[in-house]
């Protein structure tokens, strides 16, 4: 296709994803499943040209922003608290699945070299951040399970990519060293953290000195690619660099973003992420056409590869359950050995962790990046598609039902006891705002010049009533400016108190975002009213 035709085709895909999204909502189907099915259906329509895409391009276009979207909203306190469990899944489960699937692949296709078998295992082993986010955003889970699944999806891509590269190199060169592999993996991970740390803090520093709203949004959107490309250029993990930068950026964005930037950038970012996620799943559906054509048709493909792929699909699903249950029931005795305590495992939680193993864009991109000379390339690509399709449609599509059946939705809203409730935190923020109003409500002679403001913040009227009433009491421009200066000072004081409560661990990130949005809206309305023309 020419460049113009490619652009038109992309526009058609955007229209198709909107239609598929509406159909999924109307029929209450999983969005990812509808997009996958839609991609397959469109790919086989008469007259549709074959679509080929560079897997490296897929990774660099889609993966960095989708990883940062997850990392940006990562609750650092929860991530740090459950880091051990996250690593057990993100590293241990991926390695275990790679070896199990590799062994099954060799048993089903003995002529396939061991290195190619383990490369296949590495392709299908890491659950995907995009697929996990698409499913988890629509269900309610206990906080620990949600943190484990989201944290795993952020880090396991790096494990899968490293294993894949070592297995591929072993097949093509005939050389492999376990010691070199371990040291190389550690270097890639630590190097990725270092690059992400540098990029994240450089971004925060830059945003503190940029005043234009649109320039701030542009710089923020470029940051995931800066971290990913920078990490890859320095031969470390671009995935871990992106995740690290995203976590740092998410932690400091409450300090560096103004209310206007936060409201506008959030809207823009959500639209961009929706389009990227939807296009990823449609492209996965399109990949099936190339696989079928290379194997001589659907019938030949099923006859030649059906049984090995089913065996490997079973190995992918079963190995995760084995790993999750084994490690969950080893956590308590292992914690005792190091003098710590660990919460006892729950069969329901372990089952859900085992069931939540959706694969997606990374599995597809790794499979398509296999060298043409790689033994078993078509088998790997076909297996990757089947694993993606089944895990997204079956496991992802039934996630909500499984959660309700296990009764996990009834404990999904529980928070840690050491956090303040919404009412307690709101009272502290209101008090900080009222103190700021009291300090500015009197002039230098001690006369009360803003009585209405003092009354409003004392009784905490609604935002609309507060500003509407306040604006009618302003008589002249100087008094109007002073009036809204007091309001903005109160909002700033509330913001300082809100961040103090969060940084000291007294409120959770959920309440932080709730209060922050309220203060942002108050600030935008006060700034607009202060600058409104006098008529």
């Amino acid at each position: 296709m020419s460049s113009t035709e490619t652009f038109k085709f992309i526009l058609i895909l955007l229209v198709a994803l909107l239609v598929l999204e509406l159909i999924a909502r109307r029929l209450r189907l999983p969005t990812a499943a509808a997009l996958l099915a839609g991609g397959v259906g469109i790919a086989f329509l008469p007259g549709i040209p074959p679509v080929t895409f560079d897997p490296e391009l897929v990774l660099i276009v889609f993966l960095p922003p989708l990883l940062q979207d997850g990392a940006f909203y990562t609750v650092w306190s929860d991530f740090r608290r459950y880091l051990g469990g996250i690593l057990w899944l993100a590293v241990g489960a991926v390695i275990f699945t790679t070896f199990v699937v590799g062994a099954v692949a060799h048993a089903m296709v003995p002529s396939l070299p061991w290195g190619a078998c383990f490369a296949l295992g590495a392709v299908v082993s890491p659950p995907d951040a995009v697929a996990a986010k698409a499913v988890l955003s629509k269900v309610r889970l206990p906080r620990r399970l949600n943190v484990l699944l989201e944290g795993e999806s952020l880090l396991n891509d790096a494990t899968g990519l490293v294993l894949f590269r070592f297995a591929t190199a072993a097949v093509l060169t005939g050389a492999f060293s376990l010691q070199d592999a371990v040291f190389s993996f550690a270097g890639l991970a630590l190097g990725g953290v270092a690059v992400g740390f540098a990029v994240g803090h450089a971004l925060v520093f830059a945003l503190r000195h940029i005043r234009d709203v649109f320039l701030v949004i542009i710089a923020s959107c470029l940051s995931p690619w800066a971290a990913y490309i920078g990490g890859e250029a320095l031969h470390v993990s671009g995935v871990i660099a992106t995740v690290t930068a995203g976590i740092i950026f998410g932690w400091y964005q409450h300090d560096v973003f103004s209310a206007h930037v936060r409201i506008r950038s959030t809207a823009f970012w959500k639209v961009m992420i929706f389009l990227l996620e939807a296009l990823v799943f449609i492209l996965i559906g399109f990949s099936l056409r190339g696989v079928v054509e290379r194997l001589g048709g659907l019938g030949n493909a099923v006859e030649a590869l059906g049984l090995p792929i089913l065996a490997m699909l079973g190995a992918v699903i079963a190995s995760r359950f084995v790993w999750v249950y084994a490690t969950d029931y080893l956590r308590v005795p292992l914690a005792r050995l190091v003098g710590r305590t660990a919460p006892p495992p729950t069969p329901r939680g372990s089952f859900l962790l085992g069931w939540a193993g959706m694969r997606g864009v990374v599995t597809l991109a790794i499979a398509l990046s296999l060298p043409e000379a790689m033994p078993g390339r078509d088998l790997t690509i076909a297996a990757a598609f089947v694993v993606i399709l089944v895990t997204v449609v079956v496991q992802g599509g039934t996630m909500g039902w499984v959660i309700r059946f296990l009764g996990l939705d009834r404990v999904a809203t529980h928070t840690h006891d050491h956090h303040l409730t919404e009412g307690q935190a709101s009272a502290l923020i209101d008090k900080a705002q009222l103190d700021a109003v009291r300090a500015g409500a009197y002039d230098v002679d001690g006369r009360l010049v803003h009585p209405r403001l003092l009354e409003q913040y004392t009784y905490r009227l609604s935002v609309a009533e507060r500003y509407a009433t306040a604006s009618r009491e302003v008589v002249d421009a100087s008094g109007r400016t002073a009036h809204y200066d007091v309001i903005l000072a109160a909002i700033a004081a509330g913001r300082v108190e809100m961040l103090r409560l969060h940084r000291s661990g007294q409120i959770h990130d959920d309440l932080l975002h709730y209060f922050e949005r309220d203060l942002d809206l108050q600030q935008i309305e006060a700034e607009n009213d202060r600058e409104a023309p006098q008529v």
Side-chain angles (χ1 to χ4, degrees), residues 254 262 425-437 457 460 486-502 507 511-512 514-520 522-523:
H254 310 288
R262 189 160 21 249
S426 182
L428 291 172
I429 294 174
D430 292 345
K431 181 179 181 301
Q433 290 186 285
L434 180 58
D435 291 341
V437 170
Y457 276 86
R460 294 297 299 155
V486 176
I487 293 179
L488 293 171
I491 294 170
R495 199 181 297 278
V496 170
E497 178 66 11
M498 173 192 70
L499 289 177
R500 186 192 69 80
L501 293 173
H502 176 254
I507 62 173
L511 278 184
L512 170 69
Y514 169 79
F515 287 124
E516 187 171 58
R517 179 173 177 78
D518 183 49
L519 292 172
D520 286 344
Q522 290 182 42
Q523 181 176 340

Side-chain angles (χ1 to χ4, degrees), residues 104 108 301-313 379:
V104 171
M108 298 301 298
V302 172
E303 182 179 353
L305 305 178
L307 188 59
I309 289 176
L310 287 177
M312 285 180 278
L313 174 64
L379 172 63

